[in-house]
Amino acid sequence: MFAFLQEGLYPHLINYFHIDSDGGAVALRFGCFALVILVSYLLGSINSALIVSRLFFHEDIRTKGSGNAGMTNMHRVFGTPAALLTLLGDILKTVLSISFSFILLGGMWCLREDGSFDPFGSTFSFSFPAYVAALFCILGHIFPLYYKFRGGKGVLCAAVAMGMLSPWLLLIELIIFFGTVALSKYVSLGSVITAATYPIFFPSLFKVAFSGLSPFGEITLMTFLIAGVLIWAHRENIRRLWHHEEPRISLKRRKGEPQAPVQPDEEDYDL
């Protein structure tokens, strides 16, 4: 089982297609890599709020409340169960994206010398394709192919990816996120600060886990790209924060006004 988690289907595909040259093996790997990118982006483009609103309520969430196809507006219009289903859908698409990468190209987990699982060090994946899958799932969420490239902020997708690839780092980032939100009352500020600290804490925690070893350069690059994409997605929030115009978050559902617009002092935030 651990061997499969390490290598994925790739070596089995080499045997299945009887590839006996280095060039053929490289071409197959690039093909698998391209497939990971495509599948991750297409999965990331799925909007859970639209699916839930149409499937269970026969409505388009974009015509209700604030018009935002996100979890916050789902909560205001259709209530907590609908919001939780939306949350579950966004989590699932990220899990599927990275799991597909693991299945195809392996996770490259660091095991102990006896092959057993280390609950700290072995939870860090060395798999470059897995980080690329995370990046493209986030890009799909922010720029969805099916919805004219207008999506959410990608924060939830990034958090799920972090939990799968480096869960101890996610714990640190959650502390930063909730601490910032508790102090500032701005979810957007918490998201931006958490994204900015991701590539800073990643190599530091990696060195702690592996006795001073530095992570692969290409994986570190992926953490910077993910952070950059998340911050860029919050560019309007940053502008409003700078000018003291950013509204605070509110998840209150105004009874009797299921389709009421968001109030000026409420942040309609789609993770």
Side-chain angles (χ1 to χ4, degrees):
M1 181 63 180
F2 281 145
F4 179 77
L5 288 175
Q6 289 284 62
E7 300 174 347
L9 289 174
Y10 174 69
H12 302 284
L13 291 174
I14 289 179
N15 294 329
Y16 180 80
F17 291 111
H18 304 290
I19 297 174
D20 54 6
S21 66
D22 291 341
V26 170
L28 177 63
R29 187 166 186 84
F30 271 105
C32 292
F33 192 80
L35 188 59
V36 166
I37 290 175
L38 177 62
V39 169
S40 298
Y41 174 72
L42 293 178
L43 283 171
S45 294
I46 297 172
N47 188 298
S48 304
L50 285 174
I51 294 174
V52 171
S53 64
R54 287 175 173 170
L55 185 62
F56 293 99
F57 303 98
H58 308 292
E59 300 277 3
D60 187 336
I61 186 61
R62 294 173 296 183
T63 66
K64 307 293 180 182
S66 68
N68 184 17
M71 187 176 68
T72 303
N73 196 36
M74 286 290 288
H75 183 274
R76 289 196 185 101
V77 176
F78 297 119
T80 301
L84 291 177
L85 282 174
T86 302
L87 175 67
L88 180 61
D90 286 341
I91 291 174
L92 182 61
K93 70 183 183 182
T94 311
V95 171
L96 289 176
S97 297
I98 297 177
S99 296
F100 181 73
S101 171
F102 288 159
I103 292 170
L104 205 57
L105 292 168
M108 294 182 64
W109 308 99
C110 182
L111 304 178
R112 291 170 174 159
E113 293 183 0
D114 61 359
S116 61
F117 193 80
D118 176 8
F120 186 67
S122 296
T123 54
F124 281 82
S125 173
F126 296 168
S127 175
F128 177 64
Y131 285 87
V132 173
L135 174 62
F136 276 86
C137 184
I138 293 167
L139 287 171
H141 185 83
I142 298 173
F143 308 106
L145 177 66
Y146 320 121
Y147 309 107
K148 300 180 180 180
F149 303 101
R150 296 180 62 183
K153 306 296 185 183
V155 176
L156 179 61
C157 294
V160 175
M162 203 180 302
M164 294 183 69
L165 300 173
S166 48
W168 294 101
L169 179 57
L170 173 62
L171 179 61
I172 295 174
E173 294 285 45
L174 286 176
I175 293 172
I176 295 172
F177 174 79
F178 286 111
T180 303
V181 174
L183 291 173
S184 69
K185 309 303 180 185
Y186 293 113
V187 174
S188 56
L189 180 62
S191 300
V192 170
I193 291 178
T194 303
T197 56
Y198 175 40
I200 296 173
F201 282 105
F202 176 79
S204 302
L205 193 60
F206 192 95
K207 289 180 179 181
V208 172
F210 299 106
S211 304
L213 292 177
S214 297
F216 299 147
E218 60 268 27
I219 293 179
T220 302
L221 175 62
M222 282 297 105
T223 64
F224 276 98
L225 288 176
I226 290 172
V229 167
L230 294 175
I231 293 172
W232 186 88
H234 286 81
R235 61 196 183 283
E236 285 300 316
N237 302 87
I238 294 172
R239 183 191 63 78
R240 290 194 296 267
L241 284 166
W242 181 261
H243 293 287
H244 305 286
E245 298 172 350
E246 179 78 341
R248 288 176 168 82
I249 188 69
S250 174
L251 292 176
K252 294 180 180 178
R253 187 186 182 195
R254 292 181 295 281
K255 295 181 179 179
E257 300 181 71
Q259 299 180 30
V262 177
Q263 297 300 308
D265 61 343
E266 290 182 4
E267 181 183 14
D268 189 39
Y269 190 83
D270 178 12
L271 291 170

